[in-house]
Amino acid sequence: MMKTNSGWFFEDYTIGQVMEHAVPRTVGQGERALYHALYPARHALYSSDLFAQSCGLPSSPLDDLIAFHVVFGKTVPDISLNAVANLGYAEARWLRPVYPGDTLRSLSTVIGLKQNSSGKTGVVWVRSEGFNQRGETVMSFVRWVMVRKNNLAMPAPQTVVPELRSVVPAAELMVPSNLNFDSYRHDLSGSLYIYDDYKVGEFIDHVDGVTVSEAEHMMATRLWQNTAKVHFDATARPDGRRLIYGGHVISMARALSSNGLGNAQMIAAINAGAHANPCFAGDTIRAWSEVLYLAETANPTVGALRLRLVATKGTGTELRDAEGKYHSDVLLDLDYWAFIPR
């Protein structure tokens, strides 16, 4: 009897299927320390208890993307162990901060299926949710992933492509109830620029670059317990190269964005995200942002910036060619909301 898990294949999924993912995880200061060692993260709210307390929080929460990676990692054995690539994100919402000592678990529901024309792969859409030890939802997101078929003779399922909102409305952004930026310390945050200093259409070059290494990528991906074969097994791809986990690129770009957006302290939502091209060890990630929209929140001390964050392995700001395809040096195109002092 086989006791090992070879993962789910495209033909194993059905619309409405609910998966409670295994191995809940208690997160703590170790995850914070490793995150800040792996990425040049410098947002003050996630670095200092005293700074967070001056902003009304009980202590410094864990970086928003730590919560994302942990919740995401729980889903991998059931969703993307046999993935070719993770394709995109939508309708991601951070609903409450995650603090050291919280225990996170994940649940996913299949909301879309579409077999590709080759008959060898298909796209699976899931809505994943992360819960803490009190059963409170800390975040939710939709992602879609290209998954291999195992039985190529299996008939294609009925195509269901979910309708997803292009933007999470500003009114649905969840500002932590006790967050207050009235006593915000710019000298400690490292940036003078707040809500009113940004203008729609403004481009921000984040200046710095980081060259990705195999060792750091594999450490990070193991940290999040992401077991997708393409990240570790060089024989899992025809080109014999290990694919850098897309979340690694997101975290690197977000960390780089602190140079220019140092007061955009909290990620509130991801409206849309695409891994435009694969990233491999040796690529140098650079980032730039475009300000898309400014919105007030119900909290008079907190504003919301809608930002486009682009990670590239080049130096330009052109996203697409004349045919509308992403340029080959574009790695990530992420549309997200962030909270910033007003």
Side-chain angles (χ1 to χ4, degrees), residues 61-74:
L62 296 179
D63 295 66
D64 301 305
L65 289 173
I66 291 178
F68 172 78
H69 292 315
V70 172
V71 171
F72 184 104
K74 302 293 98 191

Side-chain angles (χ1 to χ4, degrees), residues 151-234:
N151 181 359
L152 300 185
M154 181 71 71
Q158 180 181 355
T159 295
V160 176
V161 177
E163 293 186 12
L164 300 172
R165 296 183 296 179
S166 60
V167 179
V168 176
E172 294 185 14
L173 303 179
M174 298 295 291
V175 180
S177 58
N178 46 357
L179 185 67
N180 189 313
F181 285 146
D182 265 342
S183 301
Y184 194 84
R185 292 280 301 274
H186 297 273
D187 57 332
L188 299 181
S189 75
S191 175
L192 296 174
Y193 305 114
I194 59 173
Y195 180 79
D196 288 329
D197 295 313
Y198 294 93
K199 307 300 178 188
V200 172
E202 179 179 359
F203 278 79
I204 304 165
D205 180 357
H206 299 303
V207 180
D208 306 306
V210 175
T211 302
V212 178
S213 74
E214 290 275 20
E216 289 177 338
H217 160 251
M218 287 190 289
M219 179 184 291
T221 310
R222 289 193 183 102
L223 175 63
W224 315 127
Q225 297 177 315
N226 181 335
T227 55
K229 298 172 185 177
V230 291
H231 301 320
F232 300 103
D233 183 350

Side-chain angles (χ1 to χ4, degrees), residues 305-325:
L305 293 182
R306 183 181 169 198
L307 301 161
R308 165 175 259 165
L309 175 62
V310 176
T312 78
K313 53 184 178 180
T315 57
T317 58
E318 293 294 325
L319 273 177
R320 301 177 187 269
D321 60 22
E323 298 179 352
K325 296 181 179 179

